[in-house]
Amino acid sequence: MLKIAIYGKGGIGKSTTTSNLSAALSKLGLTVMQIGCDPKSDSVKNLCGGKKIPTVLDLLRSEKAKTLTLDDIVFKGYHGVLCVEAGGPTPGIGCAGRGIITAFDKLEELDAFETYKPDVVLYDVLGDVVCGGFAMPIRNGYADKVFIVTSGEMMALYAASNIVHAIKNFGVRGYAQYAGVILNSRNVKDEEETVQKALAEIGGKIIKVIPRDASVQTAENQGKTVIEALPQSDMATVYMDLAKKIMKECDIVLPSGHKEIA
């Protein structure tokens, strides 16, 4: 089982990228689990027909708290992708990152990974602040590799720099490794060159450039990923290629008996 954390500034298209990556990896024959680690709790929405699923934190605040099972917090989405949302605190009360810690503890308590045996776990993590709970996926062995979704915009690159510094700080303790960035294009001037220049300072490489394309919004208006809604589109090909590049970068091989699904 390989565990990958996908970080990025809020609003950068991180959840869109992660959910399409999950769908693509599942089509390549892997068993995938996606864990939303953002208080907005909409990471897996487009894998679940546009509907939000109950979050771990909400359920732990409910009457079901003492009797929670994996069936209450893990939902099968498109193509069998296993979907979990950590959730956030009551607005104005508590720490947003605490939801990640609580969710991870509950998944461990219920033996989620041993039960579902995913080949790949994707953590979709807000990257504006890399402290406390938001740093959990790169600590304590939760994630093996970290990819950052960015654009060529200043604030997105600033967030990427902060994330890389956090990874390097934890890296000396043998935690997750920084694997590179996914450039989710915003069509700003000289975007790829700007990102390359930033990477020369903070380190890493561009794993894949995701072009800005209207088909993404078309799919999301249907509550779906591009992989599901528009499987023959150019953007579906882009996301499938991203999945293959991630597999190569992380040395993921298809388990015996698995095969790519057309």
Side-chain angles (χ1 to χ4, degrees):
M1 177 177 69
L2 187 82
K3 296 165 287 183
I4 300 172
I6 310 286
Y7 276 83
K9 181 185 179 298
I12 202 62
K14 169 180 50 62
S15 294
T16 295
T17 301
T18 306
S19 58
N20 274 285
L21 176 58
S22 288
L25 288 169
S26 75
K27 294 288 281 185
L28 289 170
L30 297 170
T31 299
V32 183
M33 176 179 280
Q34 180 171 322
I35 303 176
C37 303
D38 188 321
K40 296 198 309 298
S41 307
D42 60 357
S43 174
V44 301
K45 185 174 68 172
N46 291 322
L47 291 165
C48 297
K51 298 178 182 178
K52 285 191 174 185
I53 62 173
T55 73
V56 176
L57 267 194
D58 283 345
L59 289 167
L60 288 174
R61 288 191 289 255
S62 73
E63 296 177 355
K64 298 191 70 172
K66 293 182 179 180
T67 59
L68 276 188
T69 67
L70 286 174
D71 288 338
D72 296 315
I73 61 175
V74 181
F75 297 81
K76 282 196 175 181
Y78 170 72
H79 214 265
V81 175
L82 301 160
C83 301
V84 180
E85 288 284 2
T90 302
I93 302 174
C95 169
R98 182 65 203 174
I100 300 171
I101 299 171
T102 304
F104 284 15
D105 287 346
K106 181 54 67 172
L107 287 167
E108 284 191 352
E109 178 188 326
L110 296 175
D111 295 322
F113 298 143
E114 292 78 3
T115 300
Y116 293 107
K117 295 180 172 57
D119 299 310
V120 180
V121 179
L122 295 175
Y123 302 103
D124 174 12
V125 196
L126 183 67
D128 292 77
V129 180
V130 192
C131 63
F134 293 111
M136 279 297 286
I138 55 176
R139 297 168 57 190
N140 304 335
Y142 282 110
D144 303 302
K145 300 283 187 178
V146 179
F147 293 88
I148 301 170
V149 178
T150 188
S151 68
E153 297 164 307
M154 181 183 68
M155 293 309 295
L157 291 170
Y158 179 74
S161 178
N162 284 340
I163 296 161
V164 171
H165 284 305
I167 297 166
K168 289 179 178 177
N169 286 338
F170 288 119
V172 296
R173 307 175 207 177
Y175 296 152
Q177 297 180 336
Y178 168 48
V181 304
I182 300 164
L183 171 51
N184 195 34
S185 301
R186 293 296 185 93
N187 290 344
V188 299
K189 185 179 179 181
D190 300 324
E191 187 163 25
E192 189 168 347
E193 291 81 357
T194 300
V195 174
Q196 293 283 17
K197 184 177 179 180
L199 293 180
E201 296 182 14
I202 66 176
K205 61 185 178 182
I206 297 174
I207 302 298
K208 178 71 178 175
V209 177
I210 308 295
R212 194 167 182 84
D213 193 284
S215 62
V216 175
Q217 190 60 54
T218 298
E220 293 194 342
N221 288 342
Q222 300 175 36
K224 298 176 180 179
T225 62
V226 173
I227 298 294
E228 179 182 6
L230 302 163
Q232 305 303 319
S233 67
D234 290 342
M235 279 304 290
T237 301
V238 167
Y239 286 121
M240 291 299 294
D241 187 54
L242 170 64
K244 291 172 182 177
K245 288 182 182 296
I246 295 285
M247 289 178 67
K248 182 177 180 180
E249 193 68 31
C250 299
D251 296 319
I252 302 172
V253 295
L254 289 177
S256 178
H258 288 224
K259 63 180 181 178
E260 181 175 342
I261 299 165

